[in-house]
Amino acid sequence: MCTRVLWNTNDLAVLTGRTMDWPESTQPLIVGFPRGRERNGISPAGPVDDPNPLRWTSRYASLVTTIYGVGTVDGLNEAGLAGHGLYLEATDYGARDDSRPAVQAGLWLQYLLDQAATVAEALALMEDVELLKIRVRGRDANIHVALEDVGGDSAIIEFADGRAVVHHGMQYTLMTNDPTYDEQLKSLAAQDFSHPSREIPLPGNVNAVDRFQRAAYYSALLPKPTTERQAIASVMAIMRNVSVPFGAPYAEFGVYNTEYRTVTDLTNRMYFFELTTSPSIIWAEFDRLHLDEATGPVSVDPYDDSLVGDVTDRFAPVTLAF
């Protein structure tokens, strides 16, 4: 069901980790999109007809992980904004207002990465846009989004009763799934993980509330890094801790196993990806990607067993529907 952890208090870099938890493969591709790409906010949602789709041309290049070929669920842009879409059953986008342009949920995050340089800019963009729920492979795309920028700012955006509920500030570093973020914060307030020790009892289940609190504990436990490598390893360690074992039986436990983990380094514009069924972490350097409007997007498939380490030079042109 996914977890996001932001580390914006160390002296080296603004870092974010996330897990992707789902009962089947999301068919991820790691894609570099050049700026200048024209998009329709409804396609490729499948059999969806809308009278007023949002249309835009991307201002910023981005490096993202896609989901089922219908949208973006994780990534960063060249301006220093990153975002992560996680599942939230309680999501309610509300009734469609045809007078306002709409973007389907799978392209929500891509729209923000295309058009915003900061968290504040992304929040401003949301004021004039409708979110449209789609159904993919038999499941509703009920998502909430976490955003952060290179300055360390952060925001959590959820939709309840048809309106956006926003938690904006550097202190909002964690996100999992249901219940809503307000309720997660209330549950966390009942614990004190600000001074972690080995005597503190730690929630150990795989449900969203326990993962939220466990992420809070380990985030407070992070040592001051002296190298970027140490910082990346620290965040990845938390993401592994809150992961669900691959192949966990959903029918018995009501949870989804972790398909992959990512760590985003906004300061150095690096993107790290760990597929749970692969022995190797791979990564890409944004600044070395050859992103050109004329040649279009480029990608690597993380299920390619030949990939290991720095894969920046392995990106190749790809045709996508969005």
Side-chain angles (χ1 to χ4, degrees):
M1 301 283 277
C2 309
T3 303
R4 172 263 200 174
V5 173
L6 167 64
W7 193 14
N8 54 7
T9 56
N10 70 80
D11 296 331
L12 290 181
V14 175
L15 303 169
T16 312
R18 77 83 51 84
T19 63
M20 168 54 79
D21 304 345
W22 205 238
E24 63 182 10
S25 174
T26 60
Q27 301 172 11
L29 288 177
I30 306 173
V31 178
F33 284 112
R35 67 177 77 94
R37 189 168 178 84
E38 295 184 358
R39 300 194 197 271
N40 178 324
I42 302 303
S43 64
V48 174
D49 185 23
D50 190 86
N52 188 12
L54 180 68
R55 300 179 188 276
W56 71 93
T57 301
S58 60
R59 298 174 59 197
Y60 302 108
S62 58
L63 177 60
V64 305
T65 298
T66 63
I67 181 168
Y68 291 129
V70 301
T72 293
V73 75
D74 195 74
L76 73 158
N77 70 15
E78 62 180 321
L81 178 71
H84 323 273
L86 279 64
Y87 187 79
L88 182 70
E89 181 66 31
T91 297
D92 179 5
Y93 297 123
R96 175 77 173 96
D97 178 357
D98 291 346
S99 68
R100 290 158 53 90
V103 58
Q104 56 101 337
L107 290 179
W108 175 15
L109 177 58
Q110 187 64 57
Y111 169 60
L112 299 179
L113 293 177
D114 280 352
Q115 303 300 87
T118 65
V119 169
E121 288 184 11
L123 295 178
L125 286 174
M126 291 304 303
E127 295 178 3
D128 300 316
V129 175
E130 292 271 301
L131 265 294
L132 183 65
K133 179 185 290 188
I134 62 170
R135 192 167 177 82
V136 182
R137 299 178 67 92
R139 294 180 175 86
D140 289 333
N142 295 323
I143 64 172
H144 54 169
V145 162
L147 301 170
E148 65 275 347
D149 61 34
V150 71
D153 197 10
S154 175
I156 310 296
I157 311 173
E158 298 180 342
F159 275 80
D161 300 322
R163 66 180 185 87
V165 180
V166 178
H167 298 264
H168 182 195
M170 293 183 67
Q171 70 272 32
Y172 299 116
T173 59
L174 309 175
M175 189 167 85
T176 55
N177 315 106
D178 295 83
T180 60
Y181 205 68
D182 284 328
E183 294 301 316
Q184 289 279 26
L185 293 177
K186 288 179 183 177
S187 296
L188 184 63
Q191 309 290 333
D192 183 11
F193 297 135
S194 59
H195 297 88
S197 73
R198 62 184 181 182
E199 283 77 30
I200 293 178
L202 191 62
N205 211 312
V206 292
N207 64 61
V209 174
D210 279 20
R211 283 185 283 111
F212 195 100
Q213 296 186 21
R214 200 156 65 253
Y217 172 87
Y218 281 102
S219 293
L221 200 64
L222 288 179
K224 182 178 180 179
T226 58
T227 66
E228 181 191 2
R229 182 169 181 169
Q230 289 179 2
I232 296 294
S234 292
V235 176
M236 187 63 81
I238 297 178
M239 307 327 297
R240 289 168 178 156
N241 185 283
V242 297
S243 293
V244 180
F246 184 80
Y250 168 73
E252 181 178 351
F253 296 106
V255 296
Y256 301 154
N257 59 204
T258 299
E259 181 183 18
Y260 62 79
R261 294 171 280 263
T262 70
V263 174
T264 304
D265 180 343
L266 282 78
T267 302
N268 299 292
R269 306 211 295 187
M270 301 275 290
Y271 191 64
F272 297 80
F273 188 102
E274 182 180 52
L275 193 68
T276 54
T277 54
S278 171
S280 303
I281 294 177
I282 60 176
W283 62 86
E285 296 184 31
F286 200 121
D287 295 342
R288 286 178 44 226
L289 284 175
H290 301 291
L291 300 178
D292 187 285
E293 181 182 347
T295 57
V298 294
S299 78
V300 294
D301 182 349
Y303 277 94
D304 180 349
D305 290 338
S306 71
L307 297 178
V308 59
D310 185 351
V311 299
T312 309
D313 295 331
R314 298 286 301 274
F315 279 73
V318 63
T319 299
L320 294 171
F322 70 93

